[in-house]
Amino acid sequence: MPYGSADPRSRLATAANPDTPVTDYAGMEYAEFATIPPAVTVDGREDWYARGQNLVLGWSRVTGESRFEDRDEPQEYVLITVDPTVTATVEAGGETVEVPGERMVVVPPGSSRIRVRGEGRVVRLVRATAEDLVALAVNRDSYAEPHRNIPPFVPWPDPADGYRVRVYDLTVPTLPGSPFRLYRCTTAMVNWIAPQEGPRDPRRLSPHHHDDFEQYSLVIAGEYVHHIRWPWTTDRTVWREDEHRRVGSPSLAVIPPPSEHTSEAVDEGHHRLVDIFSPPRLDFSAMDGWVLNAADYPMPATDGATP
């Protein structure tokens, strides 16, 4: 993978393994929320949904006070109050927790209720076993059959001190020498990347691939071009043309393995991209100090194998 030497991902164990056995290809999934009507409109809120193999992402625009539908999830899910001007009340596991803006909340399994208020944006990340949310996804038909390059979902080990509502500050400093802020739970990992001011240097892109997991790239500000290339195999019938798709905000791109990809902020102004993975990335988690809440969530046993 051609990461630059200054890119912290150049130290990943997976960065040195470009050879990927390929049995089939899935295409890119794009959901440009700014160009389509909301799936749900209620007093004080509009919701859009898109999915990958393992997650449904809900994007909401809050314009007052609103309550999401009560949920009874068998696994953890994530709530993100994107803006400082939107807050939430989370009721779950016998707790009621007041959440300020710019926070990531991990909601425990079981019954939960979320109320939001203010003016701003909210994200929810729920397992794709949530059939009611899958039915609302703009690309719901794309996963009528599981994509074969992605293994069956396995949640990560239970949190070290048991399940509860957990709130993480998204305004803390990024990792030294990196724009990353990484958090994980049993079902997902969120990389709350620092914003990009102005266009990305086209001489310093970072094309790379993943062997067996999707990347959910959520654009929440500005415009990006997603550059995508699929490797050739001996079977020419599965080859795909390169893609260079320009998207605005808000939008979601679900990037399939094993496509080579990089995203480029374009034009002047403020740009922000958030990367999401489900389940959490083992290679990122194996890097000492990278995951800011690693003490809360143990890694799975790897039998001594290199992740």
Side-chain angles (χ1 to χ4, degrees):
M1 296 184 187
Y3 295 120
S5 60
D7 191 314
R9 290 171 293 180
S10 65
R11 306 196 304 273
L12 294 170
T14 51
N17 181 25
D19 298 322
T20 306
V22 178
T23 59
D24 195 8
Y25 285 150
M28 286 285 295
E29 295 290 321
Y30 297 102
E32 298 190 64
F33 300 134
T35 67
I36 57 177
V40 174
T41 300
V42 297
D43 287 345
R45 200 184 79 243
E46 294 177 320
D47 301 335
W48 291 259
Y49 294 92
R51 68 164 298 181
Q53 180 125 313
N54 293 329
L55 282 183
V56 178
L57 181 144
W59 173 268
S60 299
R61 184 167 59 209
V62 179
T63 56
E65 183 167 351
S66 181
R67 177 175 142 186
F68 285 107
E69 73 286 344
D70 293 356
R71 303 217 62 80
D72 189 2
E73 291 295 327
Q75 296 169 322
E76 289 181 317
Y77 70 95
V78 170
L79 168 77
I80 300 173
T81 53
V82 174
D83 298 302
T85 51
V86 64
T87 63
T89 302
V90 178
E91 300 176 44
E95 301 177 87
T96 299
V97 179
E98 299 298 330
V99 180
E102 297 182 288
R103 297 296 187 272
M104 170 177 152
V105 184
V106 181
V107 182
S111 299
S112 62
R113 176 179 298 173
I114 294 174
R115 185 174 294 276
V116 291
R117 64 192 65 83
E119 299 277 341
R121 302 162 297 173
V122 170
V123 171
R124 289 184 300 162
L125 308 172
V126 185
R127 283 278 292 116
T129 51
E131 294 182 1
D132 60 327
L133 302 185
V134 166
L136 296 171
V138 66
N139 63 333
R140 58 188 171 273
D141 296 334
S142 296
Y143 294 85
E145 296 293 333
H147 292 187
R148 290 191 290 170
N149 280 329
I150 304 171
F153 177 85
V154 177
W156 275 34
D158 293 353
D161 57 352
Y163 288 105
R164 59 181 175 83
V165 178
R166 300 175 187 272
V167 181
Y168 300 107
D169 187 351
L170 298 175
T171 68
V172 300
T174 61
L175 299 177
S178 165
F180 294 173
R181 296 181 189 88
L182 289 163
Y183 295 94
R184 70 180 182 231
C185 64
T186 58
T187 56
M189 172 178 280
V190 174
N191 187 2
W192 196 255
I193 303 169
Q196 167 88 25
E197 301 301 333
R200 187 175 183 180
D201 185 344
R203 294 172 294 273
R204 300 186 64 184
L205 302 184
S206 54
H208 61 284
H209 83 276
H210 311 302
D211 287 347
D212 58 3
F213 60 86
E214 291 177 317
Q215 176 173 315
Y216 301 67
S217 287
L218 176 65
V219 177
I220 64 174
E223 293 189 353
Y224 285 78
V225 174
H226 296 299
H227 302 286
I228 311 295
R229 169 169 289 180
W230 283 265
W232 287 0
T233 71
T234 55
D235 182 357
R236 186 172 62 82
T237 66
V238 302
W239 292 2
R240 287 178 176 265
E241 296 290 336
D242 291 355
E243 292 185 21
H244 305 278
R245 176 75 171 262
R246 183 168 181 150
V247 298
S249 55
S251 64
L252 179 69
V254 184
I255 302 169
S259 61
E260 191 164 3
H261 57 275
T262 190
S263 297
E264 179 183 5
V266 291
D267 293 342
E268 300 301 325
H270 181 80
H271 308 276
R272 188 157 213 171
L273 182 73
V274 178
D275 283 338
I276 300 157
F277 308 93
S278 178
R281 283 184 65 160
L282 192 58
D283 58 350
F284 277 4
S285 295
M287 301 299 288
D288 186 40
W290 277 32
V291 179
L292 299 178
N293 66 337
D296 294 345
Y297 287 95
M299 289 177 58
T302 59
D303 299 323
T306 300

